PDB file of all heavy atoms in Angstrom:
ATOM      1  N   ALA A 198     -29.100 -10.381 -12.819  1.00 95.00           N
ATOM      2  CA  ALA A 198     -29.580 -11.594 -13.491  1.00 95.00           C
ATOM      3  C   ALA A 198     -28.530 -12.697 -13.429  1.00 95.00           C
ATOM      4  O   ALA A 198     -28.851 -13.873 -13.198  1.00 95.00           O
ATOM      5  CB  ALA A 198     -29.936 -11.275 -14.942  1.00 95.00           C
ATOM      6  N   ILE A 199     -27.253 -12.322 -13.618  1.00 94.00           N
ATOM      7  CA  ILE A 199     -26.175 -13.313 -13.560  1.00 94.00           C
ATOM      8  C   ILE A 199     -26.087 -13.935 -12.174  1.00 94.00           C
ATOM      9  O   ILE A 199     -25.961 -15.160 -12.026  1.00 94.00           O
ATOM     10  CB  ILE A 199     -24.826 -12.655 -13.929  1.00 94.00           C
ATOM     11  CG1 ILE A 199     -24.796 -12.308 -15.419  1.00 94.00           C
ATOM     12  CG2 ILE A 199     -23.652 -13.576 -13.572  1.00 94.00           C
ATOM     13  CD1 ILE A 199     -23.589 -11.492 -15.839  1.00 94.00           C
ATOM     14  N   ILE A 200     -26.167 -13.090 -11.149  1.00 93.00           N
ATOM     15  CA  ILE A 200     -26.047 -13.579  -9.775  1.00 93.00           C
ATOM     16  C   ILE A 200     -27.059 -14.671  -9.466  1.00 93.00           C
ATOM     17  O   ILE A 200     -26.765 -15.648  -8.768  1.00 93.00           O
ATOM     18  CB  ILE A 200     -26.214 -12.412  -8.783  1.00 93.00           C
ATOM     19  CG1 ILE A 200     -24.983 -11.500  -8.824  1.00 93.00           C
ATOM     20  CG2 ILE A 200     -26.420 -12.919  -7.356  1.00 93.00           C
ATOM     21  CD1 ILE A 200     -25.117 -10.261  -7.975  1.00 93.00           C
ATOM     22  N   PHE A 201     -28.269 -14.523 -10.016  1.00 91.00           N
ATOM     23  CA  PHE A 201     -29.338 -15.454  -9.651  1.00 91.00           C
ATOM     24  C   PHE A 201     -29.531 -16.589 -10.646  1.00 91.00           C
ATOM     25  O   PHE A 201     -30.523 -17.317 -10.578  1.00 91.00           O
ATOM     26  CB  PHE A 201     -30.637 -14.690  -9.432  1.00 91.00           C
ATOM     27  CG  PHE A 201     -30.615 -13.864  -8.171  1.00 91.00           C
ATOM     28  CD1 PHE A 201     -30.418 -12.492  -8.212  1.00 91.00           C
ATOM     29  CD2 PHE A 201     -30.752 -14.466  -6.931  1.00 91.00           C
ATOM     30  CE1 PHE A 201     -30.381 -11.732  -7.062  1.00 91.00           C
ATOM     31  CE2 PHE A 201     -30.718 -13.727  -5.761  1.00 91.00           C
ATOM     32  CZ  PHE A 201     -30.530 -12.345  -5.824  1.00 91.00           C
ATOM     33  N   ILE A 202     -28.589 -16.764 -11.570  1.00 94.00           N
ATOM     34  CA  ILE A 202     -28.610 -17.976 -12.398  1.00 94.00           C
ATOM     35  C   ILE A 202     -28.319 -19.156 -11.473  1.00 94.00           C
ATOM     36  O   ILE A 202     -27.314 -19.153 -10.754  1.00 94.00           O
ATOM     37  CB  ILE A 202     -27.544 -17.910 -13.511  1.00 94.00           C
ATOM     38  CG1 ILE A 202     -27.865 -16.795 -14.502  1.00 94.00           C
ATOM     39  CG2 ILE A 202     -27.461 -19.256 -14.248  1.00 94.00           C
ATOM     40  CD1 ILE A 202     -26.791 -16.575 -15.551  1.00 94.00           C
ATOM     41  N   PRO A 203     -29.163 -20.180 -11.442  1.00 93.00           N
ATOM     42  CA  PRO A 203     -28.954 -21.303 -10.517  1.00 93.00           C
ATOM     43  C   PRO A 203     -27.568 -21.939 -10.694  1.00 93.00           C
ATOM     44  O   PRO A 203     -27.173 -22.292 -11.801  1.00 93.00           O
ATOM     45  CB  PRO A 203     -30.059 -22.287 -10.913  1.00 93.00           C
ATOM     46  CG  PRO A 203     -31.116 -21.435 -11.530  1.00 93.00           C
ATOM     47  CD  PRO A 203     -30.385 -20.334 -12.248  1.00 93.00           C
ATOM     48  N   GLY A 204     -26.831 -22.039  -9.578  1.00 92.00           N
ATOM     49  CA  GLY A 204     -25.542 -22.723  -9.587  1.00 92.00           C
ATOM     50  C   GLY A 204     -24.400 -21.953 -10.197  1.00 92.00           C
ATOM     51  O   GLY A 204     -23.312 -22.499 -10.399  1.00 92.00           O
ATOM     52  N   VAL A 205     -24.590 -20.651 -10.473  1.00 94.00           N
ATOM     53  CA  VAL A 205     -23.541 -19.899 -11.168  1.00 94.00           C
ATOM     54  C   VAL A 205     -22.441 -19.421 -10.227  1.00 94.00           C
ATOM     55  O   VAL A 205     -21.324 -19.139 -10.661  1.00 94.00           O
ATOM     56  CB  VAL A 205     -24.134 -18.696 -11.930  1.00 94.00           C
ATOM     57  CG1 VAL A 205     -24.468 -17.563 -10.966  1.00 94.00           C
ATOM     58  CG2 VAL A 205     -23.191 -18.210 -13.022  1.00 94.00           C
ATOM     59  N   TYR A 206     -22.726 -19.338  -8.926  1.00 91.00           N
ATOM     60  CA  TYR A 206     -21.745 -18.781  -8.004  1.00 91.00           C
ATOM     61  C   TYR A 206     -20.529 -19.694  -7.846  1.00 91.00           C
ATOM     62  O   TYR A 206     -20.574 -20.890  -8.147  1.00 91.00           O
ATOM     63  CB  TYR A 206     -22.381 -18.535  -6.633  1.00 91.00           C
ATOM     64  CG  TYR A 206     -22.597 -19.792  -5.816  1.00 91.00           C
ATOM     65  CD1 TYR A 206     -21.611 -20.253  -4.960  1.00 91.00           C
ATOM     66  CD2 TYR A 206     -23.791 -20.511  -5.887  1.00 91.00           C
ATOM     67  CE1 TYR A 206     -21.790 -21.397  -4.211  1.00 91.00           C
ATOM     68  CE2 TYR A 206     -23.986 -21.648  -5.141  1.00 91.00           C
ATOM     69  CZ  TYR A 206     -22.985 -22.094  -4.308  1.00 91.00           C
ATOM     70  OH  TYR A 206     -23.161 -23.230  -3.572  1.00 91.00           O
ATOM     71  N   LEU A 207     -19.434 -19.108  -7.363  1.00 94.00           N
ATOM     72  CA  LEU A 207     -18.220 -19.857  -7.114  1.00 94.00           C
ATOM     73  C   LEU A 207     -17.912 -19.873  -5.624  1.00 94.00           C
ATOM     74  O   LEU A 207     -18.073 -18.855  -4.949  1.00 94.00           O
ATOM     75  CB  LEU A 207     -17.022 -19.234  -7.842  1.00 94.00           C
ATOM     76  CG  LEU A 207     -17.100 -19.065  -9.357  1.00 94.00           C
ATOM     77  CD1 LEU A 207     -17.727 -17.714  -9.708  1.00 94.00           C
ATOM     78  CD2 LEU A 207     -15.712 -19.144  -9.966  1.00 94.00           C
ATOM     79  N   ASP A 208     -17.471 -21.006  -5.112  1.00 95.00           N
ATOM     80  CA  ASP A 208     -16.955 -21.083  -3.754  1.00 95.00           C
ATOM     81  C   ASP A 208     -15.514 -21.560  -3.888  1.00 95.00           C
ATOM     82  O   ASP A 208     -15.221 -22.758  -3.833  1.00 95.00           O
ATOM     83  CB  ASP A 208     -17.776 -22.045  -2.905  1.00 95.00           C
ATOM     84  CG  ASP A 208     -17.484 -21.883  -1.418  1.00 95.00           C
ATOM     85  OD1 ASP A 208     -16.409 -21.340  -1.096  1.00 95.00           O
ATOM     86  OD2 ASP A 208     -18.319 -22.292  -0.592  1.00 95.00           O
TER      87      ASP A 208
END
Side-chain angles (χ1 to χ4, degrees):
I199 290 172
I200 288 175
F201 289 103
I202 295 174
V205 77
Y206 76 90
L207 303 89
D208 194 339

